[in-house]
Amino acid sequence: MALMHEPTAPYHSAQDALRVLETVSRHTTGITDTRLASLTGLGPERLTTLLRMLRREGYVEQVADGAYVTGAALTRLCDAQDRDQALREKLQRTLDRLRDSIGAAVYISRYVDGEVTIAQYADGPATPSVNEWVDFRYSAHATALGKSLLGQLDHNGRRDHLARHKMARLTSRTITSDRLLLSRLETQPPTVPHLDLQEYAVGTVCAAVPITAGSSVGCLALSLPVEHAHRLRQAADKLNRGAAPVLLSLAI
């Protein structure tokens, strides 16, 4: 199954952050931001933004003389005997922080062996997760995360999925025409979040942005009660900006 990977802003941010992190790692006694800018070719403003993110994630630390060294989070992730567990814990902390900053339940979803899966999520009393009243594997046509994942496949991959999963009408807003859905997926710019405006469940709106690492297809999604629908666009923008740390963790 072919994939349609088109780099997004979070992807470029993660790539630049990885370049900074690799440069810091090579200088075990520390490196200044001036030297980092020279070696990475990044402008001062861009570098400052990336260093702020890397410090927040615990991947770099600033020592007494102002130089940067690798942080505890990077050490744990690289040295862990069970890297998968260490990665899950790191991603969970990132998701928890996103949930709190956006004010919405957030999810990491992946397309594995032709099926939609929820890898991890973060919710809470004030940010409830979606009630999965229809298995997400069978409702990709109606969910923001499902549409984001399908949007990263090629035309044949999308058709294959829809041939295996009937497009059931879940609400009055659900798209049940494969022709209409395929047309929308093909014309959706990769930088624009996919939305679910009560297409999966009455009372819930969602948004999703791609997080493609290597050959795998994934996305970051959020859900809000419909009474907070007026916040959806702003929340989706925050989600997109918060995707870079997730991509970076997956890439390390």
Side-chain angles (χ1 to χ4, degrees):
M1 175 177 58
L3 311 176
M4 296 180 65
H5 291 171
E6 198 164 339
T8 58
Y11 174 86
H12 288 303
S13 292
Q15 289 295 98
D16 287 346
L18 194 60
R19 184 154 35 121
V20 171
L21 199 52
E22 289 171 342
T23 305
V24 172
S25 298
R26 289 197 300 269
H27 294 76
T28 55
T29 59
I31 181 172
T32 64
D33 52 0
T34 302
R35 183 62 174 155
L36 269 172
S38 174
L39 293 176
T40 61
L42 296 168
E45 186 175 347
R46 176 68 165 166
L47 181 60
T48 297
T49 299
L50 292 171
L51 285 170
R52 187 182 302 121
M53 184 264 281
L54 289 169
R55 287 180 67 185
R56 186 179 66 242
E57 294 296 318
Y59 288 134
V60 301
E61 296 174 1
Q62 197 168 19
V63 292
D65 64 356
Y68 290 91
V69 296
T70 54
L74 181 64
T75 302
R76 283 195 300 269
L77 202 54
C78 294
D79 295 347
Q81 290 184 336
D82 187 346
R83 188 186 181 281
D84 288 344
Q85 180 61 29
L87 178 58
R88 284 186 63 84
E89 292 173 357
K90 181 68 183 76
L91 288 173
Q92 193 61 51
R93 289 191 292 272
T94 301
L95 290 180
D96 290 345
R97 190 162 51 245
L98 274 175
R99 173 201 60 203
D100 295 341
S101 66
I102 297 173
V106 292
Y107 316 75
I108 294 177
S109 181
R110 292 177 179 167
Y111 197 72
V112 181
D113 297 330
E115 301 294 352
V116 173
T117 64
I118 303 296
Q120 288 179 245
Y121 68 95
D123 63 357
T127 54
S129 58
V130 174
N131 174 32
E132 191 178 352
W133 75 284
V134 176
D135 194 317
F136 288 138
R137 290 177 298 174
Y138 310 128
S139 54
H141 64 291
T143 63
L145 59 86
K147 287 184 281 187
S148 180
L149 296 175
L150 292 178
Q152 296 174 63
L153 306 181
D154 65 8
H155 185 76
N156 290 335
R158 296 167 188 162
R159 281 204 168 278
D160 171 74
H161 183 92
L162 297 179
R164 291 183 287 109
H165 298 297
K166 177 178 170 57
M167 294 175 61
R169 184 176 298 281
L170 306 182
T171 76
S172 62
R173 295 173 176 265
T174 307
I175 297 174
T176 56
S177 163
D178 58 350
R179 180 177 296 180
L180 176 58
L181 180 64
L182 289 169
S183 174
R184 291 190 177 180
L185 291 175
E186 287 166 2
T187 57
Q188 175 94 355
T191 55
V192 176
H194 285 271
L195 302 179
D196 159 16
L197 305 176
Q198 300 189 86
E199 296 166 51
Y200 173 76
V202 174
T204 302
V205 294
C206 305
V209 296
I211 49 166
T212 303
S215 62
S216 66
V217 168
C219 73
L220 196 59
L222 66 83
S223 64
L224 287 167
V226 70
E227 55 265 30
H228 292 284
H230 62 283
R231 293 203 295 117
L232 185 61
R233 295 285 182 177
Q234 182 182 29
D237 288 341
K238 279 190 173 183
L239 185 76
N240 197 38
R241 291 195 297 272
V246 175
L247 274 167
L248 181 60
S249 295
L250 294 171
I252 291 174

